[in-house]
Amino acid sequence: MRKFKSFLAGCGLVLLLVVGLVIWARLPLAAVGALLLALALWLLLTRRGRQTLSVTGVGISTLGQRIGASSVIVIGIAGVVGVLVAMLAMGDGFQATLQQTGSNDTAIVLRGGSSAELNSVLDRDSVNVITQAPGVARGANGAPVASAELSVVANLPKKSDPGVDANVQIRGVGDEAWALRPNIHIIQGRRFKPGLRELVVGQGALRQFAGLGVGKQLRLAGQPWTVVGVFASGDSHDSELWGDMQTVAAAYRRGSSAQSVTVRLTSPQAFDTFKAALSADPRLKVDVSTTREYYNKQSEGLTKVIRVVGITVGAIMAIGAIFGALNTMFAAVAARAREIATLRAIGFRGVPVVVSVLLETMLLALLGGVLGGGITWLIFNGYTASTLGANFSQVVFQFRVSPQLLWTGLKWAMAIGFVGGLFPAVRAARLPVTTALREL
């Protein structure tokens, strides 16, 4: 009967632990601050709280004697937090790069059912109908501010892996493309000239691929092309090469077709009018979205994959860190059995003992979280990487180690410390005083 009751008590403790971890994961910073304030008041203003501080002080003072075992907790949790934050920073950086691309007052039109530009084809008649639709802004010359564009993929050697090729997106554009994207500006050289096999390259592509400096020549579609300029955009276009629409179409045998049409709207509110007009036109079967919405969708799939992988790897490592903390704290409790029994014998209750062991473990966990987050921020914040985007071309982006991600890492660290310290703490509180004192 006693064993059955112990089993039920253990199951109840595990259930409460799971519920507590779920709640902890969802707590905002303000709620955590309120909990810490309540804990501080309890420690300072209550008798048991002061007893807890005394016991905790004794435990912390012996950490130097247990430096090897304590470092297992710190290093293990630092590794968990470092890996987790780095993976999430990669996902956030990729997502931010695509989300910065586009705006609500520009729209992109693709063939109906196309998930990306690479899958879309629009004939010349469709392009003309789209550019003349209501809601499209017009320039000073009365012409619609619209750009029919091609998107093709070529292989170029990477700087980081000599001899290894990767996909790069080549975008064929017209003069209106520059007016549609005022954030793009030439930082080296000049723009390409219509009708010539000239390219301007994004600064991200310049960093990733070899042979893209101004004045360099490369072969695309079996023809020589000259790099005449470098542009900066601060978004996913930084990963692209731009050339004249008609010249790119001729080189890749695309005829007079386009893959997408990007237009500037008279206002963000004009989008509904523009979309409704195209949807109602029987000559067209197209998908219409704002450019911001389009690029947001392009980031969703890969960002989810990166997050799932990061959390999965972090969870596996967290389990290992929890076992490390359990072993360390069980050993610490066993080594301090006589000390704990003496405290119990002179009037210290079980709660101060439990809380003191938890505080000691969570202090080590906090140290590990700060160490892991700090190292990740130093190494990866702003680190440039690239990965395949929706058009099967390399998208250059930077890792973003934000304060929110660091806070997430610290919450994981504290959760690991709590789980790793809870069961040793309960064992310390249940330690029979007479049994422990016999070891004196």
Side-chain angles (χ1 to χ4, degrees), residues 342-431:
T342 303
L343 292 172
R344 296 284 307 281
I346 63 177
F348 281 70
R349 304 298 296 273
V351 171
V353 174
V354 170
V355 178
S356 67
V357 175
L358 281 174
L359 287 177
E360 181 180 334
T361 313
M362 294 179 74
L363 179 63
L364 294 172
L366 180 61
L367 181 59
V370 171
L371 179 64
I375 292 175
T376 304
W377 184 83
L378 289 173
I379 295 176
F380 289 105
N381 192 40
Y383 177 80
T384 300
S386 65
T387 189
L388 283 179
N391 281 326
F392 301 101
S393 60
Q394 295 288 316
V395 176
V396 180
F397 64 96
Q398 290 185 329
F399 282 58
R400 294 185 61 181
V401 184
S402 64
Q404 182 62 38
L405 289 186
L406 292 175
W407 171 237
T408 299
L410 287 179
K411 287 177 73 173
W412 272 60
M414 299 299 285
I416 293 171
F418 182 82
V419 176
L422 179 61
F423 295 99
V426 172
R427 183 181 184 277
R430 290 178 175 177
L431 192 67

Side-chain angles (χ1 to χ4, degrees), residues 27 55 69 183 185-186 206 238 304-305 307 311 324:
L27 279 182
V55 179
N183 61 304
H185 54 280
I186 298 293
L206 178 65
D238 269 341
K304 288 180 180 177
V305 170
R307 285 183 174 276
I311 291 174

Side-chain angles (χ1 to χ4, degrees), residues 45-367:
L45 302 180
T46 65
R47 180 171 176 269
R48 289 189 180 182
R50 290 189 291 271
Q51 288 181 341
T52 301
L53 283 177
S54 300
V55 179
T56 304
V58 173
I60 292 176
S61 66
T62 63
L63 286 178
Q65 304 169 14
R66 299 180 278 122
I67 188 67
S70 300
S71 63
V72 171
I73 299 177
V74 174
I75 295 174
I77 292 177
V80 174
V81 172
V83 170
L84 176 70
V85 173
M87 293 293 291
L88 295 181
M90 180 169 65
D92 280 8
F94 177 75
Q95 185 177 41
T97 297
L98 290 182
Q99 287 181 343
Q100 290 169 1
T101 309
S103 62
N104 291 325
D105 62 352
T106 55
I108 184 170
V109 183
L110 306 176
R111 183 187 64 184
S114 301
S115 59
E117 290 176 275
L118 205 63
N119 313 122
S120 173
V121 178
L122 297 170
D123 58 39
R124 179 176 291 275
D125 291 338
S126 297
V127 171
N128 291 334
V129 172
I130 292 167
T131 58
Q132 298 298 325
V136 178
R138 294 184 176 271
N141 59 358
V145 183
S147 177
E149 300 178 355
L150 280 175
S151 180
V152 297
V153 174
N155 289 327
L156 291 178
K158 297 187 70 174
K159 284 184 177 179
S160 58
D161 298 305
V164 177
D165 290 349
N167 292 342
V168 63
Q169 184 174 355
I170 302 172
R171 182 177 295 276
V173 301
D175 287 339
E176 291 296 342
W178 304 97
L180 277 166
R181 304 174 177 96
N183 61 304
I184 297 180
H185 54 280
I186 298 293
I187 58 175
Q188 293 181 37
R190 59 174 175 83
R191 296 182 184 182
F192 59 81
K193 294 180 179 178
L196 299 180
R197 289 195 291 270
E198 296 181 341
L199 296 169
V200 293
V201 304
Q203 59 181 355
L206 178 65
R207 289 194 297 265
Q208 290 291 315
F209 296 96
L212 294 184
V214 175
K216 298 287 186 177
Q217 281 200 341
L218 60 154
R219 294 191 69 82
L220 299 173
Q223 301 172 356
W225 294 72
T226 303
V227 177
V228 297
V230 179
F231 67 84
S233 64
D235 54 26
S236 66
H237 293 308
D238 269 341
S239 309
E240 300 175 349
L241 281 61
W242 281 21
D244 175 59
M245 160 73 171
Q246 299 302 327
T247 309
V248 173
Y252 285 88
R253 300 179 181 180
R254 297 300 177 90
S256 60
S257 65
Q259 288 178 296
S260 66
V261 177
T262 303
V263 303
R264 179 166 298 282
L265 304 171
T266 54
S267 68
Q269 292 72 30
F271 173 75
D272 291 337
T273 301
F274 175 70
K275 182 176 181 179
L278 297 185
S279 300
D281 196 316
R283 296 170 292 179
L284 300 175
K285 185 180 179 182
V286 295
D287 289 335
V288 187
S289 59
T290 65
T291 53
R292 175 159 294 170
E293 179 186 3
Y294 170 75
Y295 285 104
N296 282 351
K297 287 182 179 178
Q298 302 303 301
S299 69
E300 287 177 356
L302 184 57
T303 301
K304 288 180 180 177
V305 170
I306 293 173
R307 285 183 174 276
V308 169
V309 171
I311 291 174
T312 301
V313 173
I316 293 172
M317 294 184 65
I319 293 172
I322 287 173
F323 278 108
L326 285 170
N327 289 335
T328 300
M329 295 313 297
F330 270 127
V333 168
R336 295 170 57 196
R338 288 172 295 176
E339 170 195 319
I340 292 171
T342 303
L343 292 172
R344 296 284 307 281
I346 63 177
F348 281 70
R349 304 298 296 273
V351 171
V353 174
V354 170
V355 178
S356 67
V357 175
L358 281 174
L359 287 177
E360 181 180 334
T361 313
M362 294 179 74
L363 179 63
L364 294 172
L366 180 61
L367 181 59

